[in-house]
Amino acid sequence: MSICEGIIQVLEDQAVSQQYQRVKTIWLEIGPLAMVETDALRFCFEAVTRHTLAEGARLEIIELPGQALCLQCAEPVSITTRFDACSECGSYQLQVTQGEELRIKELEVE
Ligand SMILES: [Zn+2]
């Protein structure tokens, strides 16, 4: 629930600075390491947007792949969790480069 409330907070702040009245579509980028259930997110989004400037807005979720750089063999590897090993050398010394995102990429407003 708090994630959705955070999103609404951002939308309301931006409505003041960017002078819009209503949010029609929200594109949200989510990485696998953000640990967000997209179904749960959609559900709570509907609930918290009721009676706000984003009521009835369309939520488009863009799922980003997880990526890391192996500190042992310097190969870029795909990951789905923070605890994955390098698919090349088996090392657990990975530096996450993408996948922790939970951010608003774009808004359609009026
Ligand atoms: Zn490696």
Side-chain angles (χ1 to χ4, degrees), residues 17-110:
S17 59
Q18 294 176 25
Q19 301 187 323
Y20 57 77
Q21 263 78 56
R22 218 169 77 78
V23 178
K24 293 168 74 178
T25 314
I26 299 162
W27 283 268
L28 205 61
E29 282 185 325
I30 301 178
L33 310 185
M35 305 296 280
V36 176
E37 286 277 349
T38 54
D39 285 349
L41 184 68
R42 284 181 189 284
F43 183 77
C44 84
F45 179 80
E46 258 190 59
V48 300
T49 52
R50 219 162 281 155
H51 310 303
T52 72
L53 77 176
E55 179 160 25
R58 207 153 52 91
L59 181 63
E60 295 284 342
I61 293 176
I62 303 159
E63 293 188 45
L64 296 173
Q67 277 172 358
L69 185 69
C70 178
L71 299 179
Q72 284 295 321
C73 69
E75 287 293 322
V77 292
S78 298
I79 53 168
T80 52
T81 77
R82 203 175 289 280
F83 311 106
D84 282 1
C86 173
S87 54
E88 297 294 320
C89 74
S91 166
Y92 283 94
Q93 286 184 289
L94 301 183
Q95 188 171 51
V96 176
T97 53
Q98 181 178 281
E100 292 170 319
E101 293 79 0
L102 175 61
R103 63 181 176 218
I104 298 167
K105 179 164 189 273
E106 216 179 312
L107 291 175
E108 186 188 3
V109 298
E110 63 181 17

